[in-house]
Amino acid sequence: MFEGPLQDLIDELSRLPGVGPKSAQRIAFHLLHVDPNDITRLQEALGGVRDGVQFCRICCNISRDEVCRICADSGRDAGMICVVEEPKDIQVIERTGEFSGRYHVLGGALDPLANVGPRELNISTLLQRIGGVLPDRELADSTPDNKLFDETPVIREVILATDPNTEGEATASYLSRLLKDFPDLIVSRLASGMPLGGDLEFVDELTLSRALSGRLTL
Ligand code: ZN
């Protein structure tokens, strides 16, 4: 234990995901010696992350503007939506270079034990993107703005790329049941070969590429 502000910093750093007490100490000591300008930039970045980050009004990805870079890219296939749990999963799939459609970020997975139900996820906006009509009245009522989508592209396929663990599988099967209401829509799930119980983030690129190209229609 150290005294004063240094220990406060170590305590705060060690609360971050993936940062243990030892790493927290190493980062804190590093920061003691860095250029004051670097500290200012870090302070500004930390301060700006709450207010400066917004979510794309179409896909709910983290975005600098109202519509994210991927949704704004007319070169991408607007007829395919890859549904992921978190914005970081988009980075992972983008790295495979295997997918040229668009995304939808749920903001998590169904997890009854943690009180995460369908209404806690970005499901109503997904349904709205696909059909323009919401099958579930209650979900429809929780939709923030029904006039968000000026031009609705025809969605041909939805790929469910939730994590290969219990919550991710439960979310995928819930969504596939919901999406049966859209008869012309192809709903697929990443192919087998994905390590079970894991997080999409930790799946290597080759495995993910294969899982995408060999995806199974549900
Ligand atoms: Zn977007």
Side-chain angles (χ1 to χ4, degrees):
M1 289 288 278
F2 301 94
E3 286 187 18
L6 183 66
Q7 187 60 46
D8 293 344
L9 179 59
I10 293 172
D11 291 345
E12 288 307 316
L13 288 171
S14 46
R15 288 167 52 174
L16 300 175
V19 181
K22 275 191 179 163
S23 309
Q25 220 177 79
R26 207 160 48 234
I27 297 168
F29 275 100
H30 169 77
L31 291 173
L32 276 183
H33 302 291
V34 301
D35 190 275
N37 290 327
D38 290 347
I39 296 286
T40 309
R41 273 205 303 279
L42 180 61
Q43 276 174 331
E44 284 170 0
L46 284 172
V49 76
R50 270 254 164 238
D51 313 325
V53 169
Q54 55 176 336
F55 296 95
C56 171
R57 70 178 169 89
I58 297 174
C59 73
C60 311
N61 186 16
I62 287 170
S63 176
R64 190 180 287 263
D65 305 305
E66 203 188 346
V67 172
C68 78
R69 188 178 47 80
I70 294 174
C71 290
D73 183 349
S74 58
R76 299 193 66 122
D77 185 350
M80 285 180 81
I81 297 179
C82 182
V83 177
V84 295
E85 292 183 20
E86 306 287 350
K88 63 184 163 60
D89 299 331
I90 293 182
Q91 317 295 330
V92 183
I93 293 175
E94 284 295 281
R95 277 205 296 274
T96 68
E98 194 70 43
F99 182 68
S100 60
R102 293 180 180 174
Y103 293 92
H104 194 84
V105 180
L106 294 172
L110 293 177
D111 187 356
L113 294 177
N115 290 322
V116 181
R119 278 169 199 82
E120 276 67 50
L121 303 177
N122 300 319
I123 292 176
S124 58
T125 42
L126 173 67
L127 298 176
Q128 202 173 32
R129 283 179 78 179
I130 296 166
V133 184
L134 299 179
D136 183 334
R137 259 249 142 262
E138 287 180 66
L139 276 172
D141 292 340
S142 69
T143 304
D145 183 354
N146 282 314
K147 293 197 184 82
L148 281 181
F149 309 97
D150 335 314
E151 35 163 327
T152 316
V154 176
I155 311 293
R156 303 184 312 276
E157 179 173 355
V158 170
I159 303 171
L160 302 171
T162 47
D163 288 344
N165 55 27
T166 315
E167 293 80 18
E169 292 299 340
T171 309
S173 60
Y174 174 81
L175 287 176
S176 74
R177 264 180 283 129
L178 265 190
L179 296 176
K180 285 206 165 45
D181 287 353
F182 303 99
D184 297 330
L185 182 73
I186 299 169
V187 180
S188 59
R189 176 88 175 114
L190 294 184
S192 54
M194 298 276 285
L196 292 178
D199 190 318
L200 205 63
E201 197 183 352
F202 304 118
V203 178
D204 68 275
E205 281 171 36
L206 187 63
T207 306
L208 194 52
S209 275
R210 285 185 182 149
L212 262 171
S213 55
R215 62 187 179 275
L216 307 166
T217 305
L218 298 177

